[in-house]
Amino acid sequence: MTPAEIAARLRTRFGDGAVVAVQDALLDPTLELAPERLHEAARFLRDEDDLRFDFLRSLAGVDRKEALEVVYHLLSLPHRHGVTLRVRTPRDKPSVASVADVWPTAEWHERETFDLFGIDFAGHPDLRRLFLPDDWVGYPLRKDYAPPAEYHGIVTTREGSLPVTRAQVAGRPQVQVAMHGAKAEELPGYMRVNMGPHHPATHGVINFLLETDGEIIRKASPDVGYLHRGIEKLAESNLYIGTMPYTDRVDYLGAIFANHSWALAVEKLLGLAVPPRGEYCRAIASELNRIASHLIATGALAMDVGAFTPFTHWIREREKINDIMERICGARLTYNYLRFGGVARDIKPDVVDTIRLWLDHFEPILREFNRLISDNEIFVRRLADVAPISAADAVGFGLVGPNLRASGVHWDLRRDAPYSIYPELEFDVIVGKGFRGVVGDCYDRYWCRVLEMVESMKILRQACDKLPEGEFWAKPKVVKPAANEFYAAVESARGELGAYVIADGTDKPYRAKFRTGSYTGLSIIQHLSPGLMLADLVALIGSLDVVAPEVDR
Amino acid sequence: MSDAADPLVKSPANADGPRVIEAEVYPGAIATRLDHAINWFRESSIWYLLFATACCGIELMQTGGPRTDLDRFGAVFRASPRQSDLLLVAGTITYKMADRVRLLWAQMADPKYVVAMGSCANCGGLFQRSYSVVCGVDKIVPVDLYLPGCPPRPEALNEAILRLQEKMHGERWAAKMKGQA
Ligand code: SF4
């Protein structure tokens, strides 16, 4: 259904005033809704049979100086169509109806938007800051934000501060770290535990506030933002290409994917085409990266549930991928490989040979790995039937990638919203089938990742064979897109990684927003945790393959 | 830390000073200075806190992995600060994290060392202009060694551990304790 048709449906249902404008000059045609109609319209869009927008891809705040905006990117998995909504709200008293009861994933997105833009979401169940500390002043993503000169005795500029000495640190008052957020209610009879932010099983600095009854969890709420580095704000003050290295840090285990979504969005804004060899180089790098990322995901999950050896095997294999990546793009981890219109360096024939050799080597190793751990009775029992996620929950909470597919939902952007050269390649989309337990349990999520590595190997072989001759980079003269906006997404190792870019005609983006897989993955934990054993929570976190920078950005 | 003139320890091969205690005149017996003995024990078992906050943490993991294998130098990771000698800050520190870093440091037993790994921990790196990132972990805890790179390679981190061993080797614990007595 086209945006104009959807607008017509909304107008017939809610009156002409419901849709203020249809902005179809934009690359993402957008419906601007009347704020007072937003909530009804959202429900209508989700529930009508021919609309069925069941998936909220992203929710972004935008500061338009004279007013604030909230932009919703919706997707319908049954009908495979999308629409973008926008509402405006006055700057001095910004308030928008919450849609958290329509799409549960909106709960976190709205908290984030409240945190960074100060927009109040009426009807939100638990509106408080998400990333920044509770005592933070101001809303950083507003255009007129000025950071404080000092926070808790730390000077915030590099120039104005000196290293502390031992004596100074010893002389400072004892640190008081709040156990729970300001609004946490007392639950008599339960024990409160902070799991994190420094904890080996949380995969980076994430804190889980647990209310436990012995070993049983009553509630586990993730407390994030310990790695909130403000990438979206920094992007606004960098050139388009200058943001490319920052995208590496959005997801450091899968840096290529964030590169890719950023490049796709900006290329679309520029109307730039990529030469075929460039596309193949991207796909090869992506799939290598996907395997490298799944190695950490599966290895770390095994380590989390108590098996250390598989992890060291995977670290060894990852070193080999790192070597190949280093020859492709010069870096082991933060690749900064993609450029608008192609890639920074060609993949040379000898590297292609190395990739083939490595694939030959890796195939038997993967079998060995499966013998070592995947079929291990103890391992299977730790994961099978643990914390299953139903398909409806997975969609509602906006899970993406292997986490979504493990619940039995067929959705892979490489196949269903094709980009790059993926339509030319043959591969299967792996979905969970209840391999050892019920559909969508921890083991399904684990096993989907293992099988995806096999698929990635297939893709790599085809891409190596088909790699066409020619240019790998059609370099644009200037990168200065006209005012417009676009949301581009790629299938990363952790699912949909989207970049929403608003251009204003200058050489810097007006607003950049990243939508990541770990973010929504983490938001489902609070919903799933009641009744879980403490040790199962660790398996759940590991099976969701959460990495902190993707959550916090 | 040059110690070549030390009469108690021979250093034929090592112009920089002895790194291990060598057997003296009597077979089976070792003569050395107390400082050297203590330092030797300490530098050969650096247990570092697995404090991986960001991207550098992945390289830290790789360094602990089979190729670089920090275990060779007696450096193994611990999950608890109470058991660690070295706070290896691998990654970006935000203001929200800052108090926790200080808490972790305070929980470690003396003698303790801090290595700032990567540009972020050194000075804020890529993110030094960000509103939420501390411009270097040395604004929160005292740092003994700065390791540049974004991220530093495992080889570099390995080198940092060796340099830290050198630094530890120069400590004068006995003299310090005498001064306190
Ligand atoms: S120094 Fe670079 S690699 Fe290390 S944490 Fe900072 S941004 Fe990441």
Side-chain angles (χ1 to χ4, degrees), chain A residues 229 249 334, chain B residues 54-56 91-92 117-120 126-127 149-152:
Chain A
R229 300 189 273 194
R249 278 87 181 161
T334 44
Chain B
C55 349
C56 281
T92 323
M117 174 184 181
S119 315
C120 282
L126 268 182
F127 302 98
C150 184

Side-chain angles (χ1 to χ4, degrees), chain A residues 112-339:
Chain A
E112 177 188 339
T113 313
F114 167 73
D115 191 358
L116 303 179
F117 287 92
I119 298 177
D120 173 51
F121 287 90
H124 188 283
D126 184 19
L127 197 64
R128 56 197 160 91
R129 285 194 184 268
L130 183 68
F131 293 144
L132 292 164
D134 284 337
D135 57 357
W136 195 265
V137 182
Y139 305 106
L141 251 57
R142 288 200 185 180
K143 292 284 177 186
D144 56 0
Y145 173 74
E150 199 190 82
Y151 178 77
H152 283 201
I154 308 166
V155 179
T156 54
T157 53
R158 186 176 162 196
E159 294 75 26
S161 53
L162 290 170
V164 292
T165 61
R166 274 178 104 84
Q168 279 171 336
V169 180
R172 286 195 179 160
Q174 184 72 39
V175 191
Q176 289 297 332
V177 182
M179 278 286 282
H180 276 61
K183 278 195 179 173
E185 82 275 37
E186 276 289 341
L187 287 169
Y190 291 98
M191 182 173 167
R192 293 175 154 190
V193 189
N194 263 15
M195 182 174 156
H198 163 73
H199 189 287
T202 55
H203 295 209
V205 276
I206 301 170
N207 192 7
F208 289 88
L209 310 168
L210 308 181
E211 309 268 356
T212 68
D213 178 5
E215 282 286 300
I216 311 287
I217 296 172
R218 186 189 170 275
K219 183 170 150 203
S221 32
D223 171 24
V224 299
Y226 294 96
L227 191 51
H228 176 66
R229 300 189 273 194
I231 290 177
E232 291 172 3
K233 181 81 174 181
L234 287 169
E236 291 173 8
S237 55
N238 279 314
L239 301 181
Y240 281 94
I241 193 65
T243 300
M244 192 63 87
Y246 285 97
T247 64
D248 286 335
R249 278 87 181 161
V250 168
D251 175 4
Y252 45 65
L253 286 174
I256 290 282
F257 305 111
N259 278 191
H260 203 160
S261 65
W262 181 249
L264 278 183
V266 177
E267 278 160 6
K268 182 82 180 181
L269 290 170
L270 289 169
L272 201 64
V274 182
R277 193 178 173 90
E279 291 284 18
Y280 271 86
C281 290
R282 288 178 175 188
I284 291 177
S286 295
E287 295 309 313
L288 277 172
N289 201 184
R290 189 183 314 276
I291 297 180
S293 173
H294 282 349
L295 290 180
I296 295 283
T298 50
L301 173 60
M303 183 162 75
D304 288 346
V305 298
F308 189 73
T309 321
F311 187 68
T312 45
H313 280 265
W314 275 167
I315 289 279
R316 185 192 64 210
E317 291 309 313
R318 203 182 133 90
E319 282 284 4
K320 298 195 173 124
I321 299 181
N322 284 352
D323 289 347
I324 297 174
M325 287 309 286
E326 201 171 4
R327 284 169 69 191
I328 291 178
C329 61
R332 290 162 49 86
L333 185 69
T334 44
Y335 307 123
N336 190 16
Y337 180 50
L338 269 65
R339 295 289 179 272

Side-chain angles (χ1 to χ4, degrees), chain B residues 14-66:
Chain B
N14 227 346
D16 297 343
R19 300 187 52 85
V20 294
I21 313 164
E22 305 215 2
E24 266 294 306
V25 191
Y26 307 104
I30 291 174
T32 182
R33 253 179 21 201
L34 183 60
D35 271 339
H36 281 304
I38 294 176
N39 288 339
W40 186 47
F41 301 148
R42 285 199 171 132
E43 73 191 38
S44 321
S45 67
I46 302 178
W47 289 9
Y48 58 92
L49 183 67
L50 192 63
F51 187 49
T53 58
C55 349
C56 281
I58 306 296
E59 286 297 61
L60 171 61
M61 261 161 40
Q62 301 277 133
T63 315

